[in-house]
Amino acid sequence: MASRTVDVTLVSARDLRDVNLVSKMEVYAVVYLAGDPISRERVLADRTGGRNPTWNATVRVTVPASGSGSGALRVLLRTERPLGDRDVGEVILPLTEILAGAGDEPTGATQGAYKVRKVGSNKVRGVLNLSYKLGGVIHPPAGQYQQVGATGYLAAAAAPYASAPPPQQLSYPYPCPPPTMVRPLRISSR
């Protein structure tokens, strides 16, 4: 399957909703292909920006070259807190938008300002300024990735298992203690 890289430059965010009640927000971003936790790339937190962080950091994510389906590039904004990090909001960029009109060659940077929304909601939490540029399409060499059908997997799974090994004889370094005699309990009836 052909793929290409997307270089996402996170410039800044502004007017983010303050989700820290006690301390100043230290916002960082996590960029990844939705549904692919291996592709996660994190940008260091801005310790001084608060609700208006500035990063100017670039991360690289590999995406399918076709862009077909419901794939999306997700930018999750979080804040560091002593008792666990908290979500500030997210920006979802559909791959069909990113790859629209792009040929197989690398493209120049495309800049934009995107609304930061509450995770799982449509409530606006601020604006994220970013740019992205596409790398060229990478086609794997022919024959490198052969699709294994279900029969290949099932045949390997159905192979007989080896028998269990025989139980081992336990040996103790000391002999068992001799049985002790217990005197019967006398019950007195006065």
Side-chain angles (χ1 to χ4, degrees):
M1 177 158 86
S3 63
R4 68 188 319 160
T5 58
V6 179
D7 292 335
V8 180
T9 302
L10 298 166
V11 180
S12 64
R14 67 177 191 275
D15 300 328
L16 295 177
R17 181 164 182 241
D18 194 353
V19 296
N20 285 359
L21 300 176
V22 178
S23 61
K24 187 174 185 177
M25 288 201 318
E26 297 175 355
V27 181
Y28 66 91
V30 180
V31 180
Y32 61 97
L33 185 62
D36 184 14
I38 296 173
S39 67
R40 288 181 182 257
E41 296 291 334
R42 180 182 166 165
V43 173
L44 294 176
D46 179 9
R47 307 242 180 252
T48 59
R51 294 183 57 216
N52 301 304
T54 303
W55 300 285
N56 289 322
T58 302
V59 296
R60 179 171 284 171
V61 180
T62 302
V63 299
S66 65
S68 61
S70 60
L73 201 61
R74 188 171 175 206
V75 181
L76 179 64
L77 301 179
R78 303 195 80 203
T79 181
E80 292 180 343
R81 298 184 333 161
L83 298 175
D85 297 355
R86 187 165 182 190
D87 294 342
V88 175
E90 70 180 343
V91 173
I92 297 176
L93 303 167
L95 286 181
T96 53
E97 269 185 37
I98 294 173
L99 301 175
D104 287 352
E105 299 300 317
T107 64
T110 303
Q111 297 179 353
Y114 299 90
K115 291 180 181 178
V116 177
R117 302 193 183 276
K118 181 179 178 181
V119 177
S121 174
N122 279 334
K123 293 181 182 177
V124 177
R125 295 273 179 108
V127 177
L128 175 67
N129 299 309
L130 63 82
S131 67
Y132 59 86
K133 88 179 152 176
L134 301 172
V137 174
I138 302 166
H139 296 283
Q144 182 177 357
Y145 298 106
Q146 293 180 355
Q147 186 172 0
V148 177
T151 57
Y153 173 75
L154 292 175
Y161 290 103
S163 62
Q168 295 180 351
Q169 296 293 333
L170 299 176
S171 61
Y172 295 102
Y174 302 105
C176 293
T180 57
M181 297 296 285
V182 178
R183 289 191 308 184
L185 185 60
R186 294 176 98 187
I187 300 175
S188 65
S189 57
R190 288 187 189 188

